[in-house]
Amino acid sequence: MRGAIRRVAVESEVKTLGLIGGMSWESTTTYYQLLNEGVRDRVGGLHSASLILWSFDFAEIEAYQSAGDWDRATTRIVDVAQRLESAGADGLLICTNTMHLMAEDIESACEVPLLHIADATAVAIRKHSVKRPLLLGTRFTMEQDFYKGRLQARHGIEAKIPEADERAVVHRIIYDELCQGEIRPESRAAYQGIIERAMSAGADGVILGCTEIGLLIQQEGLEIPVFDTTALHVEAALSFALEPEA
């Protein structure tokens, strides 16, 4: 009986998060580690995060992306979100920036909240009084409006993107290197060059708008604030998961 009482007490302290991951698994690993470390540090003892993880085969998702088949990608992502909700998730996280393209579809299909990565990032950007951050990410995130538009419409933040040839470099490094676990000094230098040119054009911050970019670029060595969307998303998720019930 004493053990049963203890389990109920522990379960009431931490909400269960449903993670839509595997896009790529390298960044999902970071989510898993940071969420568990965050609960341990905030709650103490042997506590860890209560998580339900669906890890996609990224090759499937990348094929939809490359083909521009966003309808099929949306169907798959929404189906998984509903499965996580049915499995007991109290809130949902998409463990990638790009697939927030279908965030509104998930919000419409599920009753539990989706914790949006751009909203979490915007809170930090506004705290730093940054107005014109450079957005780095996949070409889908940089060029489509689902991310920049949300920052502008909901938070008044005017994100800037690199020039076309620079966007191609950023995108290639993400898919050909970072998503495959390769960290190359020359790629770090290429990103730093893009950031420096953006600073010269007026950028006052950098959004690491792909969850893998944090493997390559950190605050150290840069004169403007760096916003690691993975870390910020995790912080928002921890606040949600550990917030007492009203």
Side-chain angles (χ1 to χ4, degrees), residues 70-183:
W70 297 108
D71 289 341
R72 186 169 297 183
T74 297
T75 298
R76 290 286 285 123
I77 299 291
V78 169
D79 174 65
V80 164
Q82 292 174 322
R83 288 171 184 255
L84 291 171
E85 180 178 33
S86 296
D90 299 303
L92 301 172
L93 277 75
I94 309 171
C95 299
T96 169
N97 284 268
T98 297
M99 302 312 281
H100 278 75
L101 186 149
M102 55 278 300
E104 293 183 1
D105 297 279
I106 292 174
E107 290 170 335
S108 297
C110 297
E111 294 184 6
V112 298
L114 173 72
L115 308 177
H116 200 293
I117 197 167
D119 294 339
T121 303
V123 171
I125 291 173
R126 296 185 69 176
K127 283 182 179 178
H128 283 77
S129 299
V130 168
K131 301 295 184 183
R132 292 164 55 87
L134 174 69
L135 173 61
L136 299 178
T138 67
R139 63 181 176 87
F140 314 114
T141 299
M142 291 186 288
E143 295 175 1
Q144 298 189 42
D145 197 51
F146 69 93
Y147 202 98
K148 302 192 302 291
R150 191 176 182 106
L151 289 175
Q152 178 71 62
R154 299 199 178 200
H155 305 285
I157 297 168
E158 186 183 358
K160 301 299 182 183
I161 61 174
E163 298 296 330
D165 58 336
E166 295 175 326
R167 295 198 299 271
V169 170
V170 172
H171 183 88
R172 179 190 60 75
I173 289 172
I174 290 170
Y175 279 86
D176 293 352
E177 299 174 23
L178 300 180
C179 286
Q180 300 184 44
E182 295 185 19
I183 311 298

